[in-house]
Amino acid sequence: MSRLDAASRDEFLAAHGDWKLDGESISRTFVLRDFKDSMAFVTQVALAAEVADHHPDIDIRWNKVTVVLSTHSAGALTAKDTDLAAEFDSLYSR
Ligand code: H2B
């Protein structure tokens, strides 16, 4: 898996405005209602990550879940990251 080209990266960021680019990773903080909803959301994120065999770093703070995606094996941001990020967005708005 190779580094996402700048045009595809910018296209992703424009379409998914809540995601922030930080070097070779992207992150988003999802705001939930309370801790229970955060944990339920994290479970959905974890299941999607397992299916994709691609895993985010996850930080849980009561009603906020921050996920960070980067492709470690490539040392870069790849389509695996943006594809999974888009899936997390759909899980969140469901
Ligand atoms: N997750 C992330 N974020 N980056 C990776 O490079 C990665 C992963 N590699 N999950 C996967 C697992 C790899 O270790 C397994 C063996 O497919």
Side-chain angles (χ1 to χ4, degrees):
M1 180 72 38
S2 54
R3 172 180 280 111
L4 203 62
D5 61 86
S8 307
R9 182 200 62 201
D10 292 346
E11 192 183 324
F12 168 83
L13 292 169
H16 300 266
D18 292 314
W19 287 84
K20 288 187 180 66
L21 178 69
D22 180 19
E24 296 294 337
S25 66
I26 50 173
S27 67
R28 177 175 175 184
T29 298
F30 294 92
V31 180
L32 289 304
R33 194 172 49 180
D34 55 22
F35 188 69
K36 175 174 63 66
D37 282 6
S38 292
M39 294 309 295
F41 180 64
V42 164
T43 299
Q44 291 186 290
V45 161
L47 292 172
E50 272 299 289
V51 170
D53 190 25
H54 199 63
H55 305 90
D57 294 343
I58 305 173
D59 181 84
I60 305 162
R61 310 273 168 124
W62 188 58
N63 72 329
K64 292 188 182 73
V65 175
T66 301
V67 298
V68 182
L69 281 164
S70 185
T71 303
H72 309 131
S73 56
L77 187 71
T78 71
K80 277 192 174 186
D81 301 308
T82 50
D83 287 355
L84 196 54
E87 211 174 319
F88 294 166
D89 280 359
S90 341
L91 290 171
Y92 182 66
S93 53
R94 197 172 281 167

Coordinates of all heavy atoms in Angstrom, one line a residue:
M1 N 0.9 -1.2 0.0 CA 0.0 0.0 0.0 C 0.9 1.2 0.0 O 1.8 1.4 0.8 CB -0.9 -0.1 1.3 CG -1.9 1.1 1.5 SD -3.3 1.2 0.5 CE -3.9 -0.5 0.2
S2 N 0.7 2.1 -1.0 CA 1.5 3.3 -1.1 C 0.9 4.6 -0.6 O -0.4 4.6 -0.4 CB 2.0 3.5 -2.5 OG 0.8 3.6 -3.4
R3 N 1.7 5.5 -0.3 CA 1.2 6.8 0.3 C 0.1 7.4 -0.7 O 0.3 7.4 -1.9 CB 2.4 7.8 0.4 CG 2.0 9.2 0.8 CD 3.2 10.2 0.9 NE 3.8 10.0 2.2 CZ 5.0 9.5 2.4 NH1 5.7 9.1 1.3 NH2 5.6 9.3 3.5
L4 N -0.9 7.9 0.0 CA -2.0 8.6 -0.7 C -1.4 9.9 -1.4 O -0.7 10.6 -0.8 CB -3.1 9.0 0.3 CG -4.5 9.2 -0.2 CD1 -5.1 7.9 -0.8 CD2 -5.3 9.7 1.0
D5 N -1.8 10.0 -2.7 CA -1.3 11.3 -3.3 C -2.0 12.5 -2.8 O -3.1 12.4 -2.2 CB -1.4 11.2 -4.9 CG -2.9 11.0 -5.3 OD1 -3.6 12.0 -5.4 OD2 -3.3 9.9 -5.4
A6 N -1.4 13.6 -2.9 CA -1.9 14.9 -2.3 C -3.3 15.2 -2.7 O -4.1 15.7 -1.9 CB -0.9 16.0 -2.6
A7 N -3.6 15.0 -4.0 CA -5.0 15.3 -4.5 C -6.0 14.4 -3.8 O -7.1 15.0 -3.4 CB -5.0 15.1 -6.0
S8 N -5.8 13.1 -3.7 CA -6.7 12.2 -3.1 C -6.9 12.6 -1.6 O -8.0 12.5 -1.0 CB -6.3 10.8 -3.2 OG -6.1 10.5 -4.5
R9 N -5.8 12.9 -1.0 CA -5.8 13.3 0.5 C -6.6 14.5 0.7 O -7.5 14.6 1.5 CB -4.3 13.5 0.9 CG -4.2 13.9 2.4 CD -2.9 14.6 2.6 NE -2.8 15.8 1.9 CZ -1.6 16.4 1.6 NH1 -0.5 15.9 1.9 NH2 -1.6 17.6 0.9
D10 N -6.4 15.5 -0.2 CA -7.1 16.8 0.0 C -8.6 16.6 -0.3 O -9.5 17.2 0.3 CB -6.5 17.9 -0.9 CG -5.1 18.3 -0.5 OD1 -4.8 17.9 0.7 OD2 -4.4 18.9 -1.2
E11 N -8.9 15.7 -1.3 CA -10.3 15.4 -1.6 C -11.0 14.8 -0.4 O -12.1 15.1 -0.1 CB -10.3 14.4 -2.8 CG -11.7 14.2 -3.4 CD -11.6 13.2 -4.6 OE1 -10.6 13.2 -5.3 OE2 -12.6 12.4 -4.7
F12 N -10.3 13.8 0.3 CA -10.8 13.2 1.5 C -11.1 14.3 2.5 O -12.2 14.3 3.1 CB -9.9 12.1 2.0 CG -10.3 11.7 3.4 CD1 -11.3 10.7 3.6 CD2 -9.8 12.3 4.5 CE1 -11.8 10.4 4.8 CE2 -10.2 11.9 5.8 CZ -11.2 11.0 6.0
L13 N -10.1 15.1 2.8 CA -10.3 16.1 3.8 C -11.4 17.1 3.6 O -12.1 17.6 4.5 CB -8.9 16.9 4.0 CG -7.8 16.0 4.6 CD1 -6.5 16.8 4.5 CD2 -8.1 15.6 6.1
A14 N -11.6 17.5 2.3 CA -12.7 18.4 1.9 C -14.0 17.7 2.1 O -15.0 18.4 2.6 CB -12.5 18.8 0.5
A15 N -14.1 16.4 1.9 CA -15.4 15.7 2.0 C -15.7 15.3 3.5 O -16.8 15.0 3.8 CB -15.4 14.5 1.1
H16 N -14.6 15.2 4.3 CA -14.8 14.8 5.7 C -14.1 15.8 6.6 O -13.1 15.6 7.1 CB -14.1 13.4 5.8 CG -14.7 12.3 4.9 ND1 -15.7 11.5 5.4 CD2 -14.4 12.0 3.6 CE1 -16.0 10.7 4.4 NE2 -15.3 11.0 3.3
G17 N -14.9 17.0 6.7 CA -14.3 18.2 7.3 C -13.9 18.0 8.8 O -13.2 18.8 9.3
D18 N -14.4 17.0 9.5 CA -14.1 16.8 10.9 C -12.8 16.1 11.1 O -12.3 16.0 12.3 CB -15.2 16.1 11.6 CG -16.5 16.9 11.7 OD1 -16.4 18.1 12.0 OD2 -17.6 16.4 11.4
W19 N -12.2 15.6 10.1 CA -10.9 14.9 10.2 C -9.7 15.9 10.0 O -9.8 16.8 9.2 CB -10.8 13.8 9.1 CG -11.6 12.6 9.5 CD1 -13.0 12.5 9.2 CD2 -11.3 11.4 10.2 NE1 -13.5 11.3 9.6 CE2 -12.4 10.6 10.3 CE3 -10.1 11.0 10.7 CZ2 -12.4 9.4 10.9 CZ3 -10.1 9.8 11.4 CH2 -11.2 9.0 11.5
K20 N -8.7 15.7 10.9 CA -7.6 16.6 10.8 C -6.3 15.8 10.3 O -6.2 14.7 10.7 CB -7.2 17.2 12.2 CG -8.2 18.2 12.7 CD -7.7 18.7 14.1 CE -8.7 19.8 14.6 NZ -10.0 19.1 15.0
L21 N -5.6 16.5 9.5 CA -4.3 15.9 9.1 C -3.2 16.3 10.0 O -3.0 17.4 10.3 CB -4.0 16.4 7.6 CG -2.8 15.9 7.0 CD1 -2.9 14.4 6.7 CD2 -2.5 16.7 5.7
D22 N -2.4 15.3 10.4 CA -1.2 15.6 11.2 C -0.1 14.7 10.7 O 0.1 13.6 11.1 CB -1.5 15.3 12.7 CG -0.3 15.6 13.6 OD1 0.6 16.3 13.2 OD2 -0.3 15.0 14.7
G23 N 0.7 15.3 9.8 CA 1.8 14.6 9.2 C 1.3 13.4 8.4 O 0.5 13.6 7.4
E24 N 1.6 12.2 8.8 CA 1.2 11.0 8.1 C 0.0 10.3 8.7 O -0.2 9.1 8.6 CB 2.4 10.0 7.9 CG 3.5 10.6 7.1 CD 3.2 10.8 5.6 OE1 2.2 10.1 5.1 OE2 3.8 11.6 5.0
S25 N -0.8 11.1 9.5 CA -1.9 10.5 10.1 C -3.1 11.4 10.1 O -3.0 12.6 9.9 CB -1.7 10.0 11.6 OG -1.4 11.1 12.4
I26 N -4.3 10.9 10.2 CA -5.5 11.6 10.3 C -6.2 11.3 11.6 O -6.1 10.1 12.1 CB -6.5 11.4 9.1 CG1 -6.7 9.9 8.8 CG2 -5.9 12.1 7.8 CD1 -7.8 9.6 7.8
S27 N -6.9 12.3 12.2 CA -7.7 12.0 13.4 C -9.0 12.7 13.4 O -9.2 13.7 12.7 CB -6.8 12.4 14.6 OG -6.7 13.8 14.6
R28 N -9.9 12.1 14.2 CA -11.2 12.8 14.4 C -11.7 12.5 15.8 O -11.5 11.4 16.3 CB -12.3 12.3 13.4 CG -13.6 13.0 13.7 CD -14.7 12.7 12.7 NE -15.9 13.2 13.2 CZ -17.1 13.1 12.6 NH1 -17.2 12.4 11.5 NH2 -18.2 13.7 13.1
T29 N -12.2 13.5 16.5 CA -12.8 13.3 17.8 C -14.3 13.3 17.6 O -14.9 14.2 17.1 CB -12.5 14.5 18.8 OG1 -11.1 14.4 19.0 CG2 -13.2 14.3 20.1
F30 N -14.9 12.1 17.9 CA -16.4 11.9 17.8 C -17.0 12.3 19.2 O -16.5 11.8 20.2 CB -16.7 10.5 17.5 CG -16.2 10.1 16.1 CD1 -15.0 9.5 15.9 CD2 -17.1 10.2 15.0 CE1 -14.6 9.1 14.6 CE2 -16.6 9.9 13.7 CZ -15.4 9.3 13.5
V31 N -18.0 13.1 19.2 CA -18.7 13.4 20.4 C -20.0 12.6 20.6 O -20.8 12.6 19.7 CB -19.1 14.9 20.5 CG1 -19.7 15.3 21.8 CG2 -17.8 15.8 20.3
L32 N -20.1 11.9 21.7 CA -21.2 11.0 22.0 C -22.0 11.6 23.1 O -21.7 12.6 23.6 CB -20.7 9.6 22.3 CG -20.2 8.7 21.2 CD1 -21.1 8.5 20.0 CD2 -18.8 9.2 20.7
R33 N -23.1 10.9 23.5 CA -24.0 11.4 24.6 C -23.3 11.2 25.9 O -23.4 12.1 26.8 CB -25.3 10.8 24.5 CG -26.4 11.5 25.3 CD -27.8 10.9 25.0 NE -27.7 9.4 25.1 CZ -28.8 8.6 24.9 NH1 -30.0 9.2 24.6 NH2 -28.7 7.3 25.0
D34 N -22.8 10.1 26.2 CA -22.2 9.7 27.5 C -21.2 8.6 27.3 O -20.9 8.2 26.2 CB -23.3 9.4 28.5 CG -24.2 8.3 28.0 OD1 -23.8 7.5 27.1 OD2 -25.4 8.1 28.4
F35 N -20.7 8.1 28.4 CA -19.7 7.0 28.4 C -20.2 5.7 27.8 O -19.5 5.1 27.0 CB -19.2 6.8 29.8 CG -18.0 5.8 29.9 CD1 -16.7 6.2 29.4 CD2 -18.1 4.6 30.4 CE1 -15.6 5.4 29.4 CE2 -17.0 3.7 30.4 CZ -15.8 4.1 29.9
K36 N -21.4 5.4 28.1 CA -22.0 4.2 27.5 C -22.1 4.2 26.0 O -21.7 3.3 25.3 CB -23.4 4.0 28.1 CG -24.2 2.8 27.6 CD -25.5 2.6 28.3 CE -26.5 3.8 28.2 NZ -27.0 4.0 26.8
D37 N -22.5 5.4 25.5 CA -22.6 5.5 24.0 C -21.2 5.6 23.4 O -21.0 5.1 22.3 CB -23.4 6.8 23.7 CG -24.9 6.6 23.8 OD1 -25.3 5.6 24.3 OD2 -25.6 7.5 23.5
S38 N -20.2 6.1 24.1 CA -18.8 6.1 23.6 C -18.4 4.7 23.5 O -17.8 4.3 22.5 CB -17.9 6.9 24.6 OG -18.2 8.3 24.6
M39 N -18.6 3.9 24.5 CA -18.1 2.5 24.5 C -18.8 1.7 23.4 O -18.2 0.8 22.7 CB -18.3 1.8 25.9 CG -17.5 2.4 27.0 SD -15.7 2.6 26.5 CE -15.3 0.8 26.4
A40 N -20.1 2.0 23.2 CA -20.9 1.3 22.1 C -20.3 1.7 20.8 O -20.1 0.8 19.9 CB -22.3 1.6 22.2
F41 N -19.9 2.9 20.6 CA -19.4 3.4 19.4 C -18.0 2.8 19.2 O -17.6 2.3 18.0 CB -19.3 4.9 19.3 CG -18.7 5.5 18.1 CD1 -19.3 5.3 16.9 CD2 -17.5 6.2 18.1 CE1 -18.8 5.8 15.7 CE2 -16.9 6.7 16.9 CZ -17.6 6.5 15.7
V42 N -17.2 2.7 20.2 CA -15.8 2.1 20.1 C -15.9 0.7 19.7 O -15.1 0.2 18.9 CB -15.1 2.3 21.5 CG1 -13.9 1.4 21.5 CG2 -14.7 3.7 21.6
T43 N -17.0 0.0 20.2 CA -17.1 -1.4 19.8 C -17.4 -1.5 18.3 O -16.8 -2.4 17.6 CB -18.3 -2.1 20.6 OG1 -18.0 -2.0 22.0 CG2 -18.5 -3.5 20.2
Q44 N -18.2 -0.6 17.8 CA -18.5 -0.6 16.3 C -17.2 -0.3 15.5 O -17.0 -1.0 14.5 CB -19.6 0.4 16.0 CG -21.0 0.0 16.5 CD -22.0 1.0 16.0 OE1 -22.0 2.2 16.4 NE2 -22.8 0.6 15.1
V45 N -16.5 0.6 16.0 CA -15.2 1.0 15.4 C -14.2 -0.2 15.4 O -13.6 -0.5 14.4 CB -14.6 2.2 16.1 CG1 -13.1 2.4 15.8 CG2 -15.3 3.5 15.8
A46 N -14.2 -0.9 16.5 CA -13.3 -2.0 16.7 C -13.7 -3.1 15.7 O -12.8 -3.8 15.1 CB -13.3 -2.5 18.1
L47 N -15.0 -3.4 15.6 CA -15.4 -4.5 14.7 C -15.1 -4.1 13.2 O -14.6 -5.0 12.4 CB -16.9 -4.7 14.8 CG -17.3 -5.3 16.2 CD1 -18.8 -5.4 16.4 CD2 -16.7 -6.7 16.3
A48 N -15.3 -2.9 12.8 CA -15.0 -2.4 11.5 C -13.5 -2.5 11.2 O -13.0 -2.9 10.1 CB -15.5 -1.0 11.2
A49 N -12.7 -2.2 12.2 CA -11.2 -2.3 12.1 C -10.8 -3.7 11.9 O -9.9 -4.0 11.1 CB -10.6 -1.6 13.4
E50 N -11.4 -4.6 12.7 CA -11.0 -6.0 12.5 C -11.3 -6.5 11.1 O -10.5 -7.3 10.6 CB -11.8 -6.9 13.6 CG -11.0 -6.9 14.9 CD -9.7 -7.6 14.8 OE1 -9.6 -8.8 14.6 OE2 -8.6 -6.9 14.9
V51 N -12.5 -6.2 10.6 CA -12.9 -6.6 9.3 C -11.9 -6.1 8.3 O -11.5 -6.8 7.3 CB -14.3 -6.2 9.0 CG1 -14.7 -6.4 7.5 CG2 -15.3 -6.9 9.8
A52 N -11.5 -4.8 8.4 CA -10.5 -4.2 7.5 C -9.1 -4.7 7.8 O -8.2 -4.4 7.0 CB -10.6 -2.7 7.6
D53 N -8.8 -5.3 8.9 CA -7.5 -5.7 9.3 C -6.6 -4.4 9.3 O -5.5 -4.4 8.9 CB -6.8 -6.8 8.5 CG -5.5 -7.3 9.1 OD1 -5.4 -7.1 10.4 OD2 -4.7 -7.7 8.4
H54 N -7.2 -3.3 9.9 CA -6.5 -2.0 10.0 C -7.0 -1.4 11.2 O -8.3 -1.3 11.4 CB -6.9 -1.2 8.7 CG -5.9 -0.1 8.5 ND1 -4.5 -0.3 8.2 CD2 -6.0 1.2 8.5 CE1 -3.9 0.8 8.0 NE2 -4.8 1.8 8.2
H55 N -6.1 -0.9 12.1 CA -6.5 -0.6 13.4 C -6.1 0.8 13.8 O -5.0 1.2 13.8 CB -5.9 -1.6 14.4 CG -6.3 -3.0 14.0 ND1 -5.5 -3.8 13.2 CD2 -7.3 -3.8 14.3 CE1 -6.0 -4.9 13.0 NE2 -7.2 -5.0 13.7
P56 N -7.1 1.6 14.3 CA -6.8 3.0 14.8 C -6.3 3.0 16.2 O -6.5 2.1 17.0 CB -8.2 3.7 14.7 CG -9.1 2.5 15.1 CD -8.5 1.3 14.5
D57 N -5.6 4.0 16.5 CA -5.3 4.3 17.9 C -6.6 5.0 18.5 O -7.2 5.8 17.7 CB -4.1 5.3 18.1 CG -2.8 4.7 17.7 OD1 -2.8 3.5 17.5 OD2 -1.9 5.5 17.4
I58 N -7.0 4.6 19.7 CA -8.3 5.1 20.2 C -8.1 5.7 21.6 O -7.5 5.0 22.4 CB -9.3 3.9 20.3 CG1 -9.5 3.2 18.9 CG2 -10.7 4.4 20.8 CD1 -10.4 2.0 19.0
D59 N -8.6 6.9 21.8 CA -8.6 7.5 23.1 C -10.0 7.8 23.5 O -10.8 8.4 22.8 CB -7.8 8.9 23.0 CG -7.7 9.6 24.3 OD1 -6.8 9.2 25.1 OD2 -8.5 10.5 24.5
I60 N -10.4 7.3 24.7 CA -11.8 7.4 25.2 C -11.8 8.4 26.4 O -11.1 8.1 27.4 CB -12.4 6.0 25.6 CG1 -12.2 5.0 24.4 CG2 -13.8 6.2 26.0 CD1 -12.4 3.6 24.9
R61 N -12.6 9.4 26.3 CA -12.8 10.4 27.4 C -14.3 10.6 27.6 O -14.9 11.5 26.9 CB -12.2 11.7 27.0 CG -10.7 11.7 26.6 CD -9.8 11.7 27.7 NE -8.4 11.3 27.3 CZ -7.4 12.1 27.5 NH1 -7.5 13.3 28.0 NH2 -6.2 11.7 27.0
W62 N -14.9 9.8 28.5 CA -16.3 9.9 28.8 C -17.2 10.0 27.6 O -17.8 9.0 27.1 CB -16.7 11.0 29.8 CG -18.1 10.9 30.3 CD1 -18.7 9.8 30.9 CD2 -19.1 11.9 30.1 NE1 -20.0 10.1 31.1 CE2 -20.3 11.3 30.7 CE3 -19.2 13.2 29.5 CZ2 -21.5 12.0 30.7 CZ3 -20.4 13.8 29.6 CH2 -21.6 13.3 30.1
N63 N -17.4 11.2 27.0 CA -18.3 11.3 25.9 C -17.6 11.7 24.6 O -18.2 12.1 23.6 CB -19.5 12.3 26.1 CG -18.9 13.8 26.1 OD1 -17.8 14.0 26.4 ND2 -19.8 14.7 25.7
K64 N -16.3 11.5 24.6 CA -15.5 11.8 23.4 C -14.6 10.6 23.0 O -13.9 10.1 23.9 CB -14.6 13.0 23.6 CG -15.5 14.3 23.7 CD -14.6 15.5 23.8 CE -15.4 16.8 23.9 NZ -15.9 16.9 25.3
V65 N -14.6 10.3 21.8 CA -13.8 9.2 21.3 C -12.9 9.7 20.2 O -13.4 10.2 19.1 CB -14.6 8.0 20.7 CG1 -13.7 6.9 20.1 CG2 -15.5 7.4 21.9
T66 N -11.6 9.7 20.4 CA -10.7 10.2 19.3 C -10.0 9.0 18.7 O -9.4 8.1 19.4 CB -9.6 11.1 19.9 OG1 -10.3 12.3 20.5 CG2 -8.6 11.7 18.8
V67 N -10.1 8.9 17.4 CA -9.4 7.9 16.6 C -8.3 8.5 15.7 O -8.5 9.5 15.1 CB -10.4 7.0 15.8 CG1 -11.4 6.3 16.7 CG2 -11.1 7.8 14.8
V68 N -7.2 7.8 15.7 CA -6.1 8.3 14.8 C -5.7 7.1 13.9 O -5.6 6.0 14.3 CB -4.8 8.6 15.7 CG1 -3.7 9.1 14.8 CG2 -5.1 9.6 16.8
L69 N -5.6 7.4 12.6 CA -5.3 6.4 11.6 C -4.1 6.8 10.8 O -3.9 7.9 10.4 CB -6.5 6.3 10.6 CG -7.7 5.5 11.1 CD1 -8.9 5.8 10.2 CD2 -7.4 4.0 11.1
S70 N -3.2 5.8 10.7 CA -2.0 5.9 9.9 C -1.7 4.4 9.5 O -2.0 3.5 10.2 CB -0.9 6.5 10.7 OG 0.2 6.7 9.8
T71 N -1.0 4.3 8.3 CA -0.6 2.9 7.9 C 0.8 2.7 8.4 O 1.8 3.2 7.7 CB -0.8 2.7 6.4 OG1 -2.2 3.0 6.1 CG2 -0.5 1.3 6.0
H72 N 1.0 1.9 9.4 CA 2.3 1.8 10.0 C 3.3 1.0 9.1 O 4.4 1.4 9.0 CB 2.2 1.0 11.4 CG 1.2 1.6 12.3 ND1 0.2 0.9 12.9 CD2 1.0 2.9 12.6 CE1 -0.5 1.7 13.7 NE2 -0.1 2.9 13.5
S73 N 2.7 0.0 8.4 CA 3.6 -0.8 7.5 C 4.1 0.1 6.4 O 5.2 -0.2 5.8 CB 2.8 -2.0 7.0 OG 1.6 -1.5 6.3
A74 N 3.4 1.1 6.0 CA 3.8 2.0 4.9 C 4.6 3.2 5.4 O 5.2 4.0 4.7 CB 2.7 2.4 4.0
G75 N 4.4 3.5 6.7 CA 5.0 4.7 7.3 C 4.3 5.9 6.7 O 5.0 7.0 6.6
A76 N 3.1 5.8 6.3 CA 2.4 6.9 5.5 C 0.9 6.8 5.7 O 0.4 5.8 6.2 CB 2.8 6.8 4.1
L77 N 0.3 7.9 5.2 CA -1.2 7.9 5.1 C -1.5 7.2 3.8 O -1.0 7.6 2.8 CB -1.7 9.3 5.1 CG -3.2 9.5 5.2 CD1 -3.8 9.1 6.5 CD2 -3.6 10.9 4.9
T78 N -2.4 6.2 3.9 CA -2.8 5.5 2.6 C -4.3 5.4 2.5 O -5.1 5.9 3.4 CB -2.3 4.0 2.7 OG1 -3.1 3.3 3.6 CG2 -0.8 4.0 3.0
A79 N -4.8 4.9 1.4 CA -6.2 4.7 1.2 C -6.9 3.9 2.2 O -8.1 4.0 2.5 CB -6.5 4.1 -0.2
K80 N -6.1 3.0 2.9 CA -6.7 2.1 3.9 C -7.2 3.0 5.1 O -8.2 2.8 5.7 CB -5.6 1.2 4.5 CG -5.4 -0.1 3.8 CD -4.5 -1.0 4.6 CE -4.4 -2.4 3.9 NZ -3.7 -3.3 4.8
D81 N -6.4 4.1 5.3 CA -6.8 5.0 6.4 C -8.1 5.8 6.0 O -9.0 5.9 6.9 CB -5.6 6.0 6.7 CG -4.4 5.2 7.1 OD1 -4.5 4.4 8.0 OD2 -3.3 5.5 6.5
T82 N -8.1 6.4 4.8 CA -9.2 7.2 4.5 C -10.5 6.4 4.3 O -11.6 6.8 4.6 CB -8.9 8.1 3.2 OG1 -8.4 7.2 2.2 CG2 -7.9 9.2 3.6
D83 N -10.3 5.1 3.7 CA -11.5 4.3 3.6 C -12.1 3.9 4.9 O -13.3 4.0 5.1 CB -11.1 2.9 2.9 CG -10.8 3.1 1.4 OD1 -11.0 4.3 0.9 OD2 -10.3 2.2 0.8
L84 N -11.2 3.6 5.9 CA -11.7 3.2 7.2 C -12.3 4.5 7.9 O -13.4 4.4 8.6 CB -10.6 2.6 8.0 CG -11.0 1.8 9.3 CD1 -12.1 0.7 9.0 CD2 -9.8 1.2 10.0
A85 N -11.7 5.6 7.7 CA -12.2 6.9 8.3 C -13.6 7.1 7.8 O -14.5 7.5 8.6 CB -11.3 8.0 8.0
A86 N -13.8 7.0 6.5 CA -15.2 7.2 5.9 C -16.2 6.2 6.5 O -17.3 6.6 6.8 CB -15.1 7.0 4.4
E87 N -15.7 5.0 6.8 CA -16.6 4.0 7.4 C -17.0 4.4 8.8 O -18.1 4.2 9.3 CB -15.9 2.6 7.4 CG -16.8 1.5 7.3 CD -16.1 0.2 7.1 OE1 -15.1 0.1 6.4 OE2 -16.5 -0.8 7.8
F88 N -16.0 4.9 9.6 CA -16.3 5.4 11.0 C -17.3 6.5 10.9 O -18.2 6.6 11.8 CB -15.0 5.9 11.7 CG -14.0 4.8 11.9 CD1 -12.7 5.2 12.3 CD2 -14.3 3.5 11.9 CE1 -11.7 4.2 12.5 CE2 -13.3 2.5 12.1 CZ -12.1 2.9 12.5
D89 N -17.2 7.4 9.9 CA -18.1 8.5 9.8 C -19.6 8.0 9.6 O -20.5 8.5 10.1 CB -17.8 9.4 8.6 CG -16.7 10.4 9.0 OD1 -16.2 10.4 10.2 OD2 -16.2 11.2 8.1
S90 N -19.7 6.9 8.7 CA -21.0 6.3 8.5 C -21.6 5.7 9.7 O -22.8 5.8 10.0 CB -21.1 5.3 7.4 OG -20.0 5.4 6.5
L91 N -20.7 5.0 10.5 CA -21.2 4.4 11.8 C -21.7 5.5 12.7 O -22.7 5.3 13.4 CB -20.0 3.6 12.4 CG -19.6 2.3 11.7 CD1 -18.3 1.8 12.4 CD2 -20.7 1.3 11.7
Y92 N -21.0 6.6 12.7 CA -21.3 7.7 13.7 C -22.7 8.3 13.3 O -23.5 8.6 14.2 CB -20.2 8.7 13.6 CG -20.4 9.9 14.6 CD1 -20.4 9.7 16.0 CD2 -20.6 11.2 14.1 CE1 -20.5 10.8 16.8 CE2 -20.8 12.3 14.9 CZ -20.7 12.1 16.3 OH -20.9 13.1 17.1
S93 N -22.9 8.5 12.0 CA -24.1 9.2 11.6 C -25.3 8.3 11.4 O -26.4 8.7 11.0 CB -23.8 10.0 10.3 OG -23.3 9.2 9.3
R94 N -25.1 7.0 11.7 CA -26.2 6.0 11.6 C -27.2 6.2 12.7 O -26.9 6.5 13.8 CB -25.6 4.6 11.6 CG -26.5 3.6 11.0 CD -25.9 2.2 10.9 NE -25.0 2.1 9.8 CZ -24.1 1.2 9.6 NH1 -23.9 0.3 10.5 NH2 -23.3 1.1 8.5
Ligands
H2B1 N1 -3.2 -1.0 11.4 C1 -2.6 0.1 11.1 N2 -3.2 1.3 11.5 N3 -1.5 0.1 10.3 C2 -0.9 -1.0 9.9 O1 0.1 -1.0 9.2 C3 -1.6 -2.2 10.3 C4 -2.7 -2.2 11.1 N4 -1.1 -3.4 9.9 N5 -3.3 -3.3 11.5 C5 -1.8 -4.6 10.1 C6 -2.7 -4.6 11.2 C7 -0.8 -5.8 10.1 O2 0.0 -5.7 11.3 C8 -1.5 -7.1 10.0 C9 -0.5 -8.2 10.1 O3 -2.2 -7.2 8.8

